[in-house]
Amino acid sequence: MSVLVFVQIKDGKATKAGLEAASYANAISCGSATAVVAGSIEADGGIGSVGISNVLAYSEALVDNSQIAKLVDAAALKVGANTVVFSANLEGGAVAPRVAIRMNAGYVAGVTGEPEGGNYPRNVFSGKAKASVSVTADKTVISVTPNAFGVKDVGGSASVEAFSAEVGEAKLIVGEFTPTSADGSVPLPESERVVSAGRGLKGPENWGIVEGLAKALNASTACSRPVGDMGWRPHHEHVGQTGVTIRPDLYIACGISGAIQHLAGVNQSKVIVVINTDPEAPFFKAADYGIVGDVFEVLPKLTEAINTLA
Ligand code: FAD
């Protein structure tokens, strides 16, 4: 299998999602995959650490998805790739289908593990079922669900080769870019730990206890949809069927009832902890650990205990 992986770059280094996609590419190619990046890169950007030995570097950062698709397609042609791997994040999800069309490839979105017997595993129906998908086309484009496969650090470094391609005119230009989180925290889909809160917090003025616990755990914060709708928290923190889908190692739900639409975005979390005053709250059925209690009492105690351990 000849494999190419598109690795996203930020501040000269591969992003965590990019390294995860590269780890996946390394695994399915038995160590022979090539990476392609767009934008300036410091040394190998850390890509060699997951086993990739060759990086094709396009010097300009690209934001137009159709340009990125042309770049990846050209790189796939150059290395003779029959399989191209992306992260199934916002950018990967937009570029991968375009590349699949350009390559006349079968596209498997959101795989969760390595193929078995040629079949790629993925979750369907908001994580309520698993499907295994085989591709009948000669070429395959895959996107990897963030935090499903993990970054596999094997040590090593990659050689970086300048690569140019005809990517055409940009159809869009980003005029201004302002990060929504000033603290530079990890984007929600890439977060390994998430502390999330719902209407049980009563109002935005009470979010200090949620942020306190998140800080103690080095976690990101999230919220239920009504909390976003009411403007208590920014919309980009809303998780669920109509919000962001996440798969962290640890999801702590504080004062969230556990409606099916909320669970749809978080039920793939590896460990779920629920804190709720109502022992009948539906979320407890999905929980690995449950605390029947008042968030205003439990969260400060939990934060203090974690800070004491640290
Ligand atoms: P509530 O349902 O009001 O629950 C609050 C919980 O807090 C209760 O369980 C209560 O017992 C507990 N509580 C109260 N006080 C305390 C306290 N002091 N300490 C501890 N616990 C306390 N929702 C989403 O979240 N994400 C989505 O993507 C989403 N998509 C939707 C799509 C559609 C089409 C529809 C119809 C709905 C969608 N919803 C979504 C809304 C969803 O159905 C629920 O209404 C919502 O998730 C409830 O939010 P909540 O749990 O914060 O609030």
Side-chain angles (χ1 to χ4, degrees):
M1 194 188 283
S2 173
V3 180
L4 177 77
V5 55
F6 175 67
V7 178
Q8 288 159 307
I9 297 293
K10 193 174 172 219
D11 300 331
K13 294 197 175 66
T15 62
K16 186 185 162 215
L19 286 179
E20 190 170 19
S23 300
Y24 188 87
N26 185 50
I28 63 170
S29 68
C30 302
S32 65
T34 297
V36 59
V37 301
S40 79
I41 179 171
E42 269 175 36
D44 70 354
I47 297 170
S49 68
V50 296
I52 304 283
S53 54
N54 189 29
V55 178
L56 302 178
Y58 183 82
S59 57
E60 244 179 274
L62 299 173
V63 288
D64 185 319
N65 294 325
S66 62
Q67 286 187 308
I68 302 172
K70 285 178 189 156
L71 171 70
V72 176
D73 186 26
L77 258 179
K78 177 180 163 74
V79 300
N82 57 15
T83 304
V84 179
V85 179
F86 291 87
S87 168
N89 60 7
L90 215 55
E91 189 175 50
V95 177
R98 287 175 159 90
V99 172
I101 287 169
R102 296 185 75 87
M103 293 176 64
N104 198 19
Y107 173 40
V108 192
V111 302
T112 51
E114 286 183 58
E116 279 175 29
N119 295 329
Y120 293 91
R122 61 182 297 256
N123 292 325
V124 290
F125 303 125
S126 302
K128 288 201 182 58
K130 292 180 193 304
S132 76
V133 183
S134 61
V135 174
T136 54
D138 294 339
K139 293 175 181 165
T140 305
V141 172
I142 299 160
S143 64
V144 183
T145 299
N147 232 16
F149 188 71
V151 175
K152 315 276 190 228
D153 195 329
V154 294
S157 61
S159 63
V160 180
E161 189 186 328
F163 178 64
S164 63
E166 185 43 67
V167 298
E169 290 290 310
K171 294 193 186 74
L172 60 89
I173 291 167
V174 177
E176 195 180 306
F177 179 78
T178 315
T180 46
S181 61
D183 59 359
S185 55
V186 183
L188 254 184
E190 292 179 29
S191 298
E192 286 166 12
R193 297 169 195 164
V194 174
V195 179
S196 186
R199 261 200 297 230
L201 265 286
K202 319 287 185 219
E205 67 280 6
N206 296 325
W207 242 260
I209 53 172
V210 179
E211 288 165 341
L213 180 58
K215 190 166 173 224
L217 287 166
N218 197 15
S220 300
T221 50
C223 67
S224 66
R225 175 171 155 171
V227 163
D229 287 348
M230 290 184 294
W232 292 4
R233 295 299 287 177
H235 267 296
H236 65 82
E237 284 197 2
H238 147 205
V239 289
Q241 182 187 316
T242 47
V244 183
T245 299
I246 55 173
R247 196 192 167 98
D249 295 339
L250 174 67
Y251 183 72
I252 303 184
C254 314
I256 302 177
S257 56
I260 191 163
Q261 297 90 351
H262 184 88
L263 290 175
V266 305
N267 60 6
Q268 296 301 306
S269 305
K270 287 164 197 153
V271 174
I272 296 178
V273 178
V274 170
I275 305 165
N276 200 304
T277 42
D278 176 7
E280 301 298 324
F283 222 146
F284 282 121
K285 291 203 177 88
D288 296 286
Y289 299 94
I291 301 172
V292 179
D294 187 329
V295 286
F296 297 100
E297 287 169 22
V298 176
L299 291 196
K301 282 187 188 157
L302 207 50
T303 307
E304 195 189 332
I306 290 162
N307 283 334
T308 312
L309 285 175

